[in-house]
Amino acid sequence: MPGTARHDREMAIQAKRNLSKATDPVERLRLQCLARGSAGIKGLCRVFRIMDDDNSRTLDFKEFVKGLNDYAVMINKEEAQEIFQIFDKDGNGTIDFDEFLVTLR
């Protein structure tokens, strides 16, 4: 098994273990992405872009929740609201793509 694939597998296993202990909603989202391997966060970013219908590089809460559901992220509505508020730094009701990436990483 190549080093990269081995590292990817180990990272996914570790993320799954840590998910059961994580209480911070952003950390739980990040770990769910990492449990899919190194492409997990990249995949969620792709979903972000797909859900951004008007190419504004922002999502409202409804688009955000739909994107999480489409990506099969297991998160309840309260956690989604809390995450959205953390990402929405300026409180304008939308999250910016760049802030989304910085916060998630």
Side-chain angles (χ1 to χ4, degrees):
M1 181 183 316
T4 305
R6 185 175 329 119
H7 179 282
D8 197 48
R9 184 170 164 245
E10 290 172 4
M11 180 178 56
I13 290 168
Q14 187 66 32
K16 288 177 187 175
R17 279 190 204 132
N18 291 339
L19 185 59
S20 64
K21 298 179 270 184
T23 57
D24 177 52
V26 174
E27 181 66 8
R28 290 182 46 78
L29 175 61
R30 189 178 74 75
L31 288 171
Q32 286 189 55
C33 292
L34 291 176
R36 297 169 187 242
S38 58
I41 291 176
K42 184 178 179 181
L44 188 56
C45 293
R46 189 173 30 251
V47 170
F48 185 103
R49 288 188 175 130
I50 291 168
M51 297 309 301
D52 182 16
D53 294 330
D54 62 359
N55 292 324
S56 65
R57 295 179 57 102
T58 62
L59 295 178
D60 62 22
F61 181 68
K62 185 177 177 182
E63 291 172 323
F64 178 69
V65 170
K66 187 173 188 295
L68 292 178
N69 289 333
D70 289 349
Y71 195 62
V73 172
M74 305 306 288
I75 202 160
N76 65 41
K77 189 173 182 174
E78 292 77 25
E79 282 182 316
Q81 183 67 43
E82 188 175 348
I83 292 169
F84 187 84
Q85 289 174 348
I86 291 168
F87 287 143
D88 184 14
K89 302 285 186 198
D90 59 5
N92 70 349
T94 62
I95 54 175
D96 177 85
F97 180 73
D98 295 326
E99 289 178 341
F100 176 80
L101 282 179
V102 168
T103 304
L104 192 58
R105 287 185 180 162

